[in-house]
Amino acid sequence: MGREERQALLHEGSGSAVMSAYVEVIFDNEDGRFPTGKDELILRRTIGLKKDEYSLDRKNATKTDVMNLLESAGFSRSNPYYIVPQGRVTTLTNMKDAERLTLLKEVAGTQVYEARRTESLKIMTETNNKRAKIDELLDYIKERLSELEEEKEELRGYQEKDKERRCLEYTFYHREQVALANALDEIEESRQDGIENTDENRQAFVALEGTIAKLDSEISKLNSQMELLKIDRRQLEEDRRESAKVRAKAELDVTTLSDGQSAAEQARQRHQQELKSVAQEIAKKEAELAKIIPDYTKARANETEVKTNLDNAEASRQRLYSKQGRNAQFKSKSERDKWLRKEIEELKNTLATQNGNRVDADEEVEAVQSDIHGLEGEIAGLRERLEGWGGNRQALSEEVASAKDALERLNEERKMLRREDDKLESVTENARHERDQAERVLSHSMDGATARGLATIRRIKREQNITGAYGTLAELLEVNEQYRTAVEQTAGNSLFQYVVDNVETATHLVNALYKQHGGRVTFMPLDQLHPRPVNYPNANDAIPLLSKIKYNSKYEKAFQQVFGKTVICPNLIIGGQYARSHALTAITPEGDTANKRGALTGGYIDSRKSRLEAVRAVDKWRDEYESHRARSQEIRTQIERKDQEYTAAMGERQKVDQRMRQLEDGYEPLRAELRSKVAHLDRQKDGLDAKLKRRDSVAAILKGLGEQIVAYQAELSSEFKKTLTRQEEEQLEELNVSVQGLKIRWNEISKTRRQLENRKNLLEVDLRENLRLKLDQLNSQDFDNTSGGSAGDLKAAQRELKRVNNAAESIEIKLQENEQELDLSKARLGKVQNERTQNLQKQDEIAKAIESFQKRMEKSIAKKALLTTSAAECAKNIRDLGVLPEEAFERFENTDSKTVTTRLKKVNEALKKYKHVNKKAFEQYNNFTTQRETLTKRRKELDLSQASIEELVSVLDQRKDEAIERTFKQVSREFAQIFERLVPAGRGRLVIQRRTDQRNDDSDDEEREAVENYTGVGISVSFNSKHDEQQRIQQLSGGQKSLCALALVFAIQQCDPAPFYLFDEIDANLDAQYRTAVAQMLQQISMQQSQASDSGEQGMSGQFICTTFRPEMVVVADKCYGVTFGGNKTSNIDVVSRDKALEFVEGQMPK
């Protein structure tokens, strides 16, 4: 079925589509009809959209398995009438005679005969084809054999010559092979002798290598020692150079201070005299200045007074001239008064502004006078401080010297510690390098995961302080050099198994390794080790290996586990005996082993790759590295402590130096401040004069403005005239005369004032710019002399020189000791190097001997390879000669090689004339002969096969005819009996139709021809009498036809019964009386099932499942089922009573 057909079968109509459905049949298997061993068999077919699936007892199965199982239970493929669906009865009713014959053949099982007959005919056709090909080949072989008969004669002559050739070649190659074998034997003997000598040389080479390793170690130590001595020497030489520089500087300082002390004293005296002279000059100038200043002040006051009067007179005169001009300017009094009021207003504004200026000028003058007073006090204080400066400098110098001595002492101590730290750093670095090298060598003796795991375990143990982790077996044991190889070979990789106290410690470490991806380590928890007691042999030549190992007793279980079953024997022969007799492992001191199973292992072991030596080297350099690092840490702690003390001493000295610098550096700023204050005082005084002049100028302006306002107001109240009044003119005349007199007087007073001012300025400038600067310079020189050339500095320099000389002497002593030690080390190093050179020369000689032997061996190997190749080529040539005659081994045995060679050339020349001969004529003749015999034999077999197949076809045809005849008789007999049961008053029979009998002969007893003449099967019945003329089925009514069809179905089933039968409305077209007869017959047959099984008789029996809408079938049924169609469009099957079934059926019948 296609996909659409399957979908239509599963679901039609609205609603969600159904993807699959199944039909399940449960068979009662109590009689064991199905060979499953169960009382029930569940057969299910699941129909999907693509394919069907089958299952037997809930297990998947194929369709073939299901069909085979059903056939084994009695369901025949050739008889499908144990299930009669709707329409099958009608089909049988309308079936033609020929179709009934075909049905009869199917029931008889002729399909099997037809299939086998077709297969046999096909094989027979293939056999005929093969016979034809064999005939062709036989003809060809016959022709070819006649040709080969002629070629055989030529081949016999060739074979004679070829036989002689092969004998000669065998003799030649055999002699060459013998010579090659002798040469190979000589090479092998030479190699064996050389191997013994090489073994001795290798042992000597290894011994020298060990000696050289020890010498290298000593040379390395001497080099390290010399390197440290050289470092000390470089440091001492550097200290000596520094000491020489410091001593030279100290000597120079002492000499300079000693030579300059007297000169400094004389300079100081001259300085004091000059300072006194300058002070006297300053006092003289200040006295003269004190006399000039009052006169200058008085002259200045007079000048100011005269100037004021002159300015007033000038202003009055100017006002009169202005008034005279204004009278001519204005036309009327009102115009004049307006202008005057305006001018008065402006003058008042100006007067107010000038009053403000007057106040500002007064304030400025007061401020400057206050600053001058303060500056004079400050200057006096600074001068007092300068005069009393040098009081504490000597005490501070002594403190500085003391602090410097303490600092030098601490610096020397710190320097010594740092030198020692540098030495330790070099030694530690060398130890670290050696440790890393030893760890690399050790890691190469184990796999990478174990090496990483052990490194991780060491780190975890150090970080977490795990006391229960003891170490590897190699780290926990000590063994004599004699048994080291035996211990290593016995333990193997177990040397690196890690011993711990218990399982908890091992689990903790394993988890840490897993989390950190730290590699892999095998642990040995002591609480989980239970070694078995060992029975050692009581003999002197079998020593327990464990007795030669030293270890802590608390690790007893671990060492018993690894070494407990091993004994040391002098050789493998004795060891093998003890190993087998005591179930132990025996080992020789050289590392050869024999186990309890008799297996022997051993060979050359390179002692340079010893695991235990690698572990010892790692332990040694680790301990040395850790001790050096601890000492280095201690030295660095002391250095840090000394650095702190040095820093504290440096702080104290810096404090004293800072105080000294403050004392020394404070002098110059003090002088600078004094100079600045004095200069500022002079500037303030000069500014005071300017501000006083400004204040006087502002006062004069105020006075002039006031007088001008008064004049304008007076004019404002006077009458308007074009000219001055007489009084005003007189006043103008007086003012002109007064102005002239005041100018003359002002000039005289000004001249006197300028003279005094010039003298005052000269004195002030001389004091400020010359004398006081000189005084300050002399005071500064006094400070320099005080800070530079004191007796205290000379004492300090002498003390420093003494300290430097002592340090230089100590350095010289240390240098001499260093040179002596360095010379001793060099002498020892030269001796050791000479010894090493001698050993190296010996080792080189041995190595050259070994190399020479190896070269000889290489040449021998190359020669042996060539000889072996030649021998192999000779053997190949001999093999290529093929099977030789017996005479080949003795025929030319006593003939010399030259004669053999000559005869071989002659034979080869003779063979050239046979170069065109068919050298395979005999072989081909034999092959063709053999092939002819084989083909002849094969043709006879094919002839026999042809006869067998023809006989088989005949037998199949006969059996098919017999099966058809037997089936027809049986079906015909059963049809007559069943028809008589269904129609007691009638009679029925089956009639065979033949080609030669076109008459519908009524007798079936007459002589029949072959089955091929059968053309059909007819049905002849009588419903009313057993003697009346019978009718053909075509002459019957519909119900009678259906009854005849059912009788034929029952007859077929009676011939080939099934376990059960399924009938779908077979009584639909029957009359009532016939429906009753059919129902009663089915009831009788089903009741005969148990009886038939007990008696063993074959016949129609079993279970009948029928669907019907007629009451006759319901009446005889054992159980009734009703199929109803529910509201949800689904069918339901329920068991119903017979009455309910009859009620339903009668309700469905037409009224």
Side-chain angles (χ1 to χ4, degrees):
M1 290 187 293
R3 182 182 179 89
E4 295 180 356
E5 293 176 340
R6 289 177 178 272
Q7 182 63 48
L9 175 64
L10 294 173
H11 176 81
E12 286 186 349
S14 61
S16 59
V18 177
M19 306 303 294
S20 65
Y22 70 88
V23 178
E24 186 175 85
V25 180
I26 300 175
F27 294 97
D28 184 3
N29 194 33
E30 290 182 355
D31 56 355
R33 186 182 293 269
F34 295 101
T36 60
K38 298 180 181 179
D39 294 338
E40 287 186 350
L41 175 67
I42 302 175
L43 172 61
R44 173 181 288 193
R45 176 183 179 184
T46 303
I47 302 173
L49 294 177
K50 293 183 178 180
K51 63 179 181 178
D52 295 349
E53 295 180 355
Y54 298 88
S55 67
L56 295 172
D57 288 336
R58 312 299 184 189
K59 296 180 181 179
N60 291 334
T62 62
K63 183 177 180 181
T64 303
D65 295 338
V66 174
M67 296 299 293
N68 293 335
L69 183 66
L70 292 175
E71 282 192 348
S72 67
F75 296 96
S76 177
R77 292 188 184 184
S78 59
N79 180 16
Y81 287 96
Y82 51 85
I83 298 176
V84 181
Q86 288 186 7
R88 178 65 63 83
V89 175
T90 303
T91 302
L92 290 173
T93 301
N94 300 324
M95 191 175 289
K96 297 179 180 179
D97 294 346
E99 292 175 349
R100 291 193 194 94
L101 178 61
T102 303
L103 175 61
L104 188 64
K105 290 180 180 181
E106 290 178 1
V107 173
T110 58
Q111 292 180 349
V112 176
Y113 296 110
E114 290 292 340
R116 292 187 63 184
R117 186 175 188 278
T118 303
E119 183 179 357
S120 299
L121 292 175
K122 181 179 179 182
I123 294 172
M124 189 165 61
T125 303
E126 293 176 355
T127 303
N128 290 329
N129 294 333
K130 291 179 182 179
R131 288 168 62 191
K133 290 181 180 179
I134 289 173
D135 292 339
E136 292 178 1
L137 287 174
L138 288 174
D139 294 339
Y140 170 75
I141 289 171
K142 184 177 180 181
E143 295 176 0
R144 185 62 182 149
L145 286 175
S146 62
E147 294 175 357
L148 289 174
E149 283 288 345
E150 300 175 357
E151 295 177 355
K152 282 197 303 180
E153 294 300 327
E154 295 180 358
L155 184 59
R156 285 192 182 92
Y158 169 78
Q159 286 178 345
E160 290 295 331
K161 294 294 182 181
D162 185 66
K163 179 179 178 181
E164 184 178 359
R165 177 188 64 80
R166 288 192 295 152
C167 291
L168 290 169
E169 287 184 352
Y170 170 76
T171 302
F172 180 80
Y173 290 140
H174 179 67
R175 290 178 181 178
E176 185 177 358
Q177 192 176 33
V178 171
L180 291 173
N182 294 331
L184 288 172
D185 291 339
E186 292 177 0
I187 292 174
E188 183 64 22
E189 291 176 0
S190 174
R191 187 183 70 83
Q192 291 295 335
D193 295 338
I195 287 175
E196 295 178 358
N197 295 330
T198 302
D199 290 341
E200 295 176 357
N201 289 333
R202 288 186 187 278
Q203 292 176 0
F205 186 87
V206 170
L208 286 173
E209 198 167 50
T211 304
I212 292 172
K214 293 180 181 179
L215 293 175
D216 287 338
S217 177
E218 187 173 357
I219 289 172
S220 177
K221 291 180 181 178
L222 289 172
N223 285 327
S224 300
Q225 184 177 355
M226 290 176 63
E227 187 65 29
L228 294 176
L229 290 173
K230 289 178 181 179
I231 292 172
D232 287 344
R233 186 176 65 181
R234 286 196 296 270
Q235 292 175 348
L236 289 171
E237 288 176 351
E238 184 178 354
D239 291 345
R240 184 170 63 180
R241 287 193 296 271
E242 292 295 329
S243 177
K245 291 180 182 178
V246 174
R247 182 168 60 182
K249 185 177 182 301
E251 290 175 349
L252 180 62
D253 290 343
V254 169
T255 303
T256 303
L257 290 172
S258 297
D259 294 340
Q261 189 172 7
S262 59
E265 186 64 27
Q266 294 175 1
R268 190 178 295 109
Q269 291 176 0
R270 288 195 300 270
H271 176 269
Q272 292 296 331
Q273 292 175 0
E274 189 175 356
L275 187 62
K276 184 178 179 182
S277 174
V278 171
Q280 290 174 356
E281 185 70 21
I282 289 174
K284 181 180 178 182
K285 294 290 184 181
E286 286 180 348
E288 185 181 357
L289 185 61
K291 291 180 181 180
I292 291 175
I293 287 176
D295 295 338
Y296 170 74
T297 303
K298 184 178 180 182
R300 186 175 179 182
N302 291 332
E303 183 185 12
T304 302
E305 182 180 359
V306 172
K307 179 65 174 172
T308 300
N309 293 332
L310 179 61
D311 291 338
N312 291 334
E314 285 283 352
S316 298
R317 189 177 65 172
Q318 186 64 31
R319 284 194 297 272
L320 289 175
Y321 282 137
S322 298
K323 182 177 179 182
Q324 186 178 3
R326 283 194 299 274
N327 289 335
Q329 180 181 358
F330 300 107
K331 295 179 181 181
S332 63
K333 184 176 184 299
S334 60
E335 187 177 354
R336 184 201 69 180
D337 292 345
K338 182 178 179 183
W339 183 85
L340 289 174
R341 290 189 185 94
K342 181 178 178 183
E343 288 296 321
I344 291 170
E345 187 65 27
E346 292 178 354
L347 290 172
K348 287 182 178 179
N349 293 333
T350 304
L351 183 62
T353 303
Q354 292 299 325
N355 283 328
N357 293 335
R358 172 72 178 272
V359 173
D360 293 339
D362 291 340
E363 292 177 353
E364 290 176 358
V365 169
E366 291 177 358
V368 172
Q369 289 175 348
S370 176
D371 288 343
I372 289 172
H373 181 70
L375 287 171
E376 288 175 348
E378 292 177 1
I379 290 171
L382 290 174
R383 292 189 185 281
E384 290 178 0
R385 289 174 61 188
L386 285 173
E387 291 173 358
W389 170 78
N392 296 323
R393 190 179 184 284
Q394 187 64 31
L396 285 175
S397 297
E398 293 177 358
E399 291 183 14
V400 169
S402 176
K404 186 176 181 182
D405 292 340
L407 197 63
E408 288 294 335
R409 177 178 55 79
L410 290 172
N411 190 31
E412 286 296 328
E413 294 176 358
R414 185 176 63 169
K415 190 182 296 183
M416 294 300 294
L417 289 173
R418 285 183 175 172
R419 287 177 184 172
E420 188 173 357
D421 182 56
D422 291 340
K423 294 179 186 178
L424 278 173
E425 184 176 359
S426 176
V427 174
T428 304
E429 181 62 24
N430 182 53
R432 187 191 65 78
H433 175 73
E434 294 293 340
R435 183 203 63 183
D436 294 343
Q437 179 66 24
E439 287 180 349
R440 282 194 295 273
V441 172
L442 179 60
S443 65
H444 291 160
S445 65
M446 66 182 80
D447 59 282
T450 303
R452 287 188 291 107
L454 291 176
T456 305
I457 292 299
R458 284 195 298 272
R459 178 175 54 79
I460 294 171
K461 178 182 177 181
R462 183 175 62 253
E463 292 174 354
Q464 302 181 8
N465 192 22
I466 301 175
T467 58
Y470 301 126
T472 61
L473 283 177
E475 296 170 351
L476 299 177
L477 65 85
E478 293 181 6
V479 65
N480 190 286
E481 184 71 17
Q482 180 181 358
Y483 303 107
R484 175 171 54 80
T485 303
V487 169
E488 289 183 4
Q489 294 302 311
T490 299
N493 290 329
S494 298
L495 281 174
F496 304 111
Q497 291 182 0
Y498 208 88
V499 181
V500 294
D501 54 355
N502 51 43
V503 176
E504 289 74 14
T505 303
T507 304
H508 174 72
L509 293 174
V510 167
N511 292 334
L513 284 174
Y514 177 76
K515 292 178 181 177
Q516 299 179 18
H517 302 285
R520 177 180 56 80
V521 176
T522 301
F523 292 95
M524 299 181 71
L526 293 176
D527 62 341
Q528 297 296 315
L529 298 178
H530 304 289
R532 297 179 181 178
V534 180
N535 180 24
Y536 293 110
N538 187 13
N540 294 328
D541 53 359
I543 304 171
L545 180 60
L546 203 59
S547 64
K548 299 300 180 181
I549 302 174
K550 297 179 182 179
Y551 54 89
N552 194 319
S553 58
K554 70 178 180 179
Y555 311 133
E556 178 71 27
K557 291 182 178 179
F559 284 92
Q560 283 282 354
Q561 184 76 19
V562 177
F563 303 102
K565 294 184 178 181
T566 304
V567 294
I568 302 175
C569 298
N571 54 58
L572 277 180
I573 298 174
I574 298 174
Q577 294 174 357
Y578 285 122
R580 289 189 295 272
S581 62
H582 290 76
L584 298 172
T585 298
I587 189 167
T588 65
E590 293 78 18
D592 300 331
T593 60
N595 60 21
K596 61 183 179 181
R597 296 182 180 86
L600 303 178
T601 58
Y604 174 72
I605 298 175
D606 192 353
S607 60
R608 296 173 297 176
K609 298 180 180 179
S610 171
R611 291 181 172 183
L612 287 177
E613 285 299 317
V615 172
R616 296 293 171 268
V618 169
D619 291 342
K620 171 190 171 184
W621 288 111
R622 276 181 189 162
D623 295 340
E624 189 169 342
Y625 173 73
E626 292 298 332
S627 64
H628 289 322
R629 194 173 66 170
R631 176 60 182 162
S632 178
Q633 189 65 32
E634 181 181 354
I635 293 296
R636 287 176 182 174
T637 303
Q638 295 179 8
I639 291 174
E640 290 178 0
R641 189 160 53 246
K642 287 298 178 184
D643 285 340
Q644 293 173 359
E645 294 177 3
Y646 182 84
T647 304
M650 179 64 75
E652 292 297 328
R653 179 178 175 180
Q654 287 176 354
K655 290 179 182 178
V656 177
D657 288 342
Q658 186 177 7
R659 288 164 58 190
M660 179 65 77
R661 283 196 300 273
Q662 288 176 354
L663 184 64
E664 293 175 352
D665 296 342
Y667 182 77
E668 190 63 32
L670 196 62
R671 288 175 55 200
E673 187 178 1
L674 179 60
R675 289 195 297 270
S676 177
K677 296 289 184 182
V678 171
H680 187 50
L681 179 61
D682 293 338
R683 287 194 300 273
Q684 289 295 90
K685 287 180 178 180
D686 293 341
L688 180 61
D689 292 339
K691 286 179 171 46
L692 289 172
K693 290 179 180 179
R694 179 172 175 269
R695 187 181 66 180
D696 294 342
S697 176
V698 171
I701 292 172
L702 287 174
K703 184 177 180 182
L705 289 174
E707 292 177 353
Q708 185 71 27
I709 291 172
V710 171
Y712 281 165
Q713 288 177 350
E715 187 179 356
L716 186 64
S717 60
S718 65
E719 296 179 358
F720 177 74
K721 292 182 179 181
K722 294 292 185 178
T723 60
L724 295 175
T725 62
R726 184 171 182 80
Q727 184 179 359
E728 290 175 343
E729 290 179 352
E730 292 177 353
Q731 185 180 0
L732 181 60
E733 290 292 336
E734 293 177 356
L735 288 172
N736 288 330
V737 175
S738 176
V739 166
Q740 291 297 325
L742 288 172
K743 284 184 177 180
I744 294 169
R745 187 180 176 187
W746 182 73
N747 290 330
E748 293 176 353
I749 294 172
S750 295
K751 182 178 180 182
T752 304
R753 191 265 310 165
R754 283 194 296 274
Q755 292 175 352
L756 292 172
E757 185 176 9
N758 290 334
R759 181 58 182 169
K760 180 178 77 71
N761 289 337
L762 287 173
L763 291 172
E764 288 178 348
V765 169
D766 190 21
L767 285 171
R768 183 174 65 248
E769 302 295 336
N770 183 21
L771 294 175
R772 287 198 176 116
L773 288 176
K774 192 173 183 180
L775 179 63
D776 293 339
Q777 185 177 4
L778 290 172
N779 288 329
S780 175
Q781 291 176 358
D782 183 41
F783 164 73
D784 293 337
N785 293 331
T786 303
S787 63
S790 64
D793 291 339
L794 179 59
K795 292 180 181 179
Q798 291 173 347
R799 187 169 57 252
E800 178 68 17
L801 180 61
K802 183 178 179 181
R803 185 190 64 78
V804 170
N805 287 330
N806 293 332
E809 291 176 1
S810 176
I811 291 171
E812 288 296 334
I813 293 171
K814 291 179 180 179
L815 272 171
Q816 292 176 3
E817 294 176 353
N818 182 275
E819 289 292 339
Q820 293 175 359
E821 293 179 3
L822 192 58
D823 291 339
L824 292 174
S825 298
K826 285 182 179 178
R828 177 60 183 164
L829 179 61
K831 183 178 179 181
V832 173
Q833 285 179 343
N834 289 333
E835 186 177 353
R836 181 179 182 275
T837 303
Q838 293 175 1
N839 288 324
L840 282 175
Q841 290 176 355
K842 294 179 182 179
Q843 195 178 34
D844 288 340
E845 292 174 359
I846 295 173
K848 288 179 181 178
I850 295 173
E851 185 178 1
S852 175
F853 174 74
Q854 288 178 346
K855 289 181 179 178
R856 291 198 304 272
M857 287 301 299
E858 289 175 359
K859 292 180 180 179
S860 298
I861 290 171
K863 185 177 180 181
K864 182 178 179 181
L866 292 174
L867 293 175
T868 303
T869 303
S870 299
E873 187 176 355
C874 287
K876 179 178 179 297
N877 292 332
I878 291 174
R879 286 195 303 273
D880 291 342
L881 294 176
V883 180
L884 297 171
E886 294 181 359
E887 63 180 4
F889 302 103
E890 300 177 355
R891 182 175 177 182
F892 300 103
E893 184 177 0
N894 298 322
T895 307
D896 59 2
S897 300
K898 185 176 181 180
T899 305
V900 170
T901 305
T902 303
R903 292 193 63 176
L904 182 60
K905 289 181 180 179
K906 291 180 179 180
V907 170
N908 286 330
E909 289 294 331
L911 285 172
K912 289 182 179 178
K913 66 179 182 179
Y914 293 104
K915 62 181 179 180
H916 298 295
V917 72
N918 185 3
K919 299 176 183 180
K920 296 183 178 180
F922 285 111
E923 182 180 355
Q924 291 176 354
Y925 185 85
N926 294 331
N927 290 338
F928 279 116
T929 303
T930 303
Q931 190 174 2
R932 182 181 62 182
E933 294 175 355
T934 303
L935 291 174
T936 303
K937 183 179 179 181
R938 177 61 179 159
R939 194 179 190 290
K940 291 180 179 179
E941 292 176 354
L942 290 175
D943 291 340
L944 294 175
S945 176
Q946 176 78 11
S948 299
I949 293 172
E950 290 175 352
E951 183 179 358
L952 176 63
V953 170
S954 175
V955 169
L956 289 175
D957 291 341
Q958 182 180 355
R959 289 182 180 178
K960 182 181 71 173
D961 294 344
E962 291 175 354
I964 293 173
E965 290 287 347
R966 183 174 58 255
T967 302
F968 174 75
K969 290 178 180 180
Q970 189 175 1
V971 171
S972 178
R973 182 177 65 251
E974 296 297 336
F975 178 80
Q977 293 176 2
I978 291 171
F979 189 83
E980 187 174 354
R981 291 177 64 181
L982 294 176
V983 186
R987 183 169 68 94
R989 61 173 181 162
L990 296 179
V991 180
I992 196 74
Q993 303 290 335
R994 301 181 180 86
R995 290 190 181 91
T996 57
D997 186 10
Q998 298 299 328
R999 312 176 311 275
N1000 292 327
D1001 194 356
D1002 294 340
S1003 176
D1004 58 352
D1005 295 330
E1006 57 189 44
E1007 188 106 5
R1008 294 189 302 272
E1009 296 180 359
V1011 176
E1012 284 77 5
N1013 292 326
Y1014 294 170
T1015 59
V1017 175
I1019 297 176
S1020 177
V1021 295
S1022 173
F1023 283 87
N1024 297 323
S1025 173
K1026 296 182 183 294
H1027 305 286
D1028 292 346
E1029 183 180 355
Q1030 294 181 345
Q1031 296 177 330
R1032 297 290 184 180
I1033 193 171
Q1034 293 84 358
Q1035 300 171 348
L1036 302 178
S1037 63
Q1040 292 175 342
K1041 289 181 180 180
S1042 297
L1043 183 63
C1044 291
L1046 280 176
L1048 180 60
V1049 168
F1050 290 142
I1052 293 172
Q1053 292 174 350
Q1054 189 73 20
C1055 294
D1056 189 7
F1060 77 92
Y1061 303 92
L1062 179 60
F1063 294 155
D1064 188 5
E1065 296 188 36
I1066 60 173
D1067 55 352
N1069 297 325
L1070 297 178
D1071 297 335
Q1073 58 177 351
Y1074 300 135
R1075 288 199 298 270
T1076 302
V1078 169
Q1080 290 178 353
M1081 188 182 71
L1082 292 180
Q1083 184 181 19
Q1084 293 174 1
I1085 293 173
S1086 63
M1087 292 175 65
Q1088 293 173 358
Q1089 180 179 6
S1090 58
Q1091 298 175 2
S1093 61
D1094 294 338
S1095 61
E1097 296 179 359
Q1098 294 293 330
M1100 185 176 179
S1101 63
Q1103 182 182 15
F1104 291 89
I1105 302 173
C1106 304
T1107 62
T1108 183
F1109 285 95
R1110 305 295 182 180
E1112 290 82 4
M1113 197 71 73
V1114 175
V1115 171
V1116 299
D1118 294 334
K1119 186 174 289 187
C1120 299
Y1121 296 88
V1123 181
T1124 58
F1125 190 68
N1128 57 352
K1129 299 182 179 181
T1130 58
S1131 300
N1132 297 318
I1133 302 175
D1134 299 310
V1135 178
V1136 297
S1137 62
R1138 183 175 295 171
D1139 295 337
K1140 190 172 182 180
L1142 288 172
E1143 181 181 355
F1144 172 78
V1145 169
E1146 291 174 355
Q1148 296 295 322
M1149 292 179 64
K1151 298 179 180 180

